[in-house]
Amino acid sequence: MLCVNMSEMGSMVKDSFSLRLFHGLGKRTMNVVNNLGTASIFFSLSFLKIFQPKQFREIIHQVLFIGARSSSIVILVGLFTGMVLGLQLYYTLTKFGSEGVLGSVVALSLIRELGPVLTAIMITARAGSAMTAEIGILRISEQIDALYTMKIDPLRYLISPRIAASIISFPLLTAFFDLIGILGGYLTGVLLLGVDQGAYYYRIQSYVELADIRGGFIKSLVFAILVSTTCCYQGYFTHLRTDSYGAKSVSLSTTSAVVLSCVMILVSDYVVTSLLM
């Protein structure tokens, strides 16, 4: 009897552990699906309100904040990324006697992958975190509720201009990143390491095609939608967090927005690349 009871207790413990495991997994999965659905509706409503009247001035203001004021860090990162690429790829290509193709390798690496991804991450770190914190503070201080009482749509007033500005700014800053990165590769490869200047530019002109540039801009548009939606969503619903409240909830929402945006940038980069190939 003792042996039977012990075996029955062991099976009950295993069943209980399995139930807890699947319950936790199912609960997290449902939370992810619900958040994705809510974020999709959030983006759809905000995007449609971009085309309503009297949005132009606020969109320009957000382009200044998200785009123009992020240009310095994007240019700096682009310059040193191109210089590092030129340095590393030169010594790699020298082993195969192919240092003449340095220009095309640097340009394609920047245009296809590094330009859109690093630009999006830099904008997320600077402007995305600020968007989340600003909207989160407006939420916990009940200023968004005050907009409702004044019959002002918060999505139209706060969210739509930021999404529109991101869609405008991300491709432009990606183009700046690519150009400055190619210049950085030129400084390292041609001026410092002695690659022929004509060969450097000729390889870029020969190997870079319109499809490569178009693919980079498509990625930047996808990143713009994901980053702006994620950051605004986290700030707008910061009062619904169950792990904290008040000022701490804003800090946690900002951290979540930056981490989620970076993860989604990398995941979507793989998805879009596989679709474009």
Side-chain angles (χ1 to χ4, degrees):
M1 292 293 294
L2 181 61
C3 293
V4 174
N5 290 335
M6 290 297 292
S7 62
E8 290 179 352
M9 290 179 62
S11 62
M12 290 175 62
V13 170
K14 291 181 180 179
D15 292 340
S16 176
F17 176 76
S18 300
L19 287 174
R20 289 198 303 269
L21 177 63
F22 284 108
H23 177 267
L25 182 61
K27 184 177 181 179
R28 292 182 180 180
T29 303
M30 290 300 298
N31 288 334
V32 171
V33 173
N34 288 333
N35 287 329
L36 287 175
T38 306
S40 299
I41 296 172
F42 179 81
F43 166 75
S44 300
L45 294 176
S46 302
F47 183 79
L48 292 176
K49 296 178 189 298
I50 293 174
F51 306 100
Q52 293 184 0
K54 300 181 180 179
Q55 289 283 73
F56 183 75
R57 177 178 293 182
E58 188 60 27
I59 290 174
I60 294 299
H61 177 74
Q62 293 301 325
V63 168
L64 173 65
F65 174 74
I66 297 172
R69 294 181 180 173
S70 299
S71 59
S72 58
I73 184 65
V74 169
I75 290 173
L76 182 65
V77 173
L79 177 64
F80 282 98
T81 300
M83 292 178 69
V84 170
L85 274 178
L87 187 64
Q88 293 283 4
L89 291 173
Y90 175 81
Y91 289 108
T92 301
L93 294 172
T94 300
K95 297 179 180 179
F96 304 96
S98 304
E99 59 271 14
V101 300
L102 178 65
S104 61
V105 179
V106 171
L108 290 175
S109 299
L110 290 169
I111 293 172
R112 288 181 176 180
E113 291 296 330
L114 293 179
V117 171
L118 292 181
T119 300
I121 291 176
M122 289 300 103
I123 299 176
T124 300
R126 185 203 164 271
S129 57
M131 285 192 291
T132 305
E134 181 181 353
I135 296 173
I137 291 172
L138 292 175
R139 170 60 77 180
I140 65 171
S141 61
E142 299 182 351
Q143 295 185 53
I144 292 180
D145 297 328
L147 292 176
Y148 279 113
T149 63
M150 294 185 291
K151 295 184 179 181
I152 298 176
D153 187 355
L155 294 180
R156 177 178 176 274
Y157 184 72
L158 297 174
I159 310 302
S160 296
R162 288 172 168 83
I163 292 177
S166 297
I167 293 174
I168 296 171
S169 300
F170 272 63
L172 293 176
L173 290 178
T174 299
F176 278 120
F177 189 101
D178 294 341
L179 291 174
I180 298 299
I182 292 172
L183 177 61
Y186 172 85
L187 294 177
T188 301
V190 176
L191 298 184
L192 297 181
L193 299 176
V195 176
D196 183 72
Q197 177 180 351
Y200 185 86
Y201 284 116
Y202 174 76
R203 295 294 183 179
I204 295 175
Q205 183 180 2
S206 299
Y207 285 92
V208 176
E209 299 178 353
L210 183 60
D212 301 319
I213 300 173
R214 182 172 61 247
F217 282 133
I218 291 174
K219 288 183 179 181
S220 66
L221 289 174
V222 173
F223 299 158
I225 293 172
L226 291 176
V227 170
S228 59
T229 303
T230 301
C231 293
C232 292
Y233 177 84
Q234 289 289 330
Y236 195 83
F237 294 105
T238 189
H239 63 300
L240 298 180
R241 296 186 69 94
T242 58
D243 53 354
S244 183
Y245 60 90
K248 189 175 182 180
S249 67
V250 176
S251 66
L252 293 176
S253 296
T254 304
T255 303
S256 299
V258 174
V259 173
L260 285 173
S261 296
C262 292
V263 171
M264 293 176 70
I265 287 169
L266 297 177
V267 173
S268 61
D269 177 53
Y270 174 79
V271 174
V272 175
T273 300
S274 63
L275 293 175
L276 293 176
M277 288 298 180

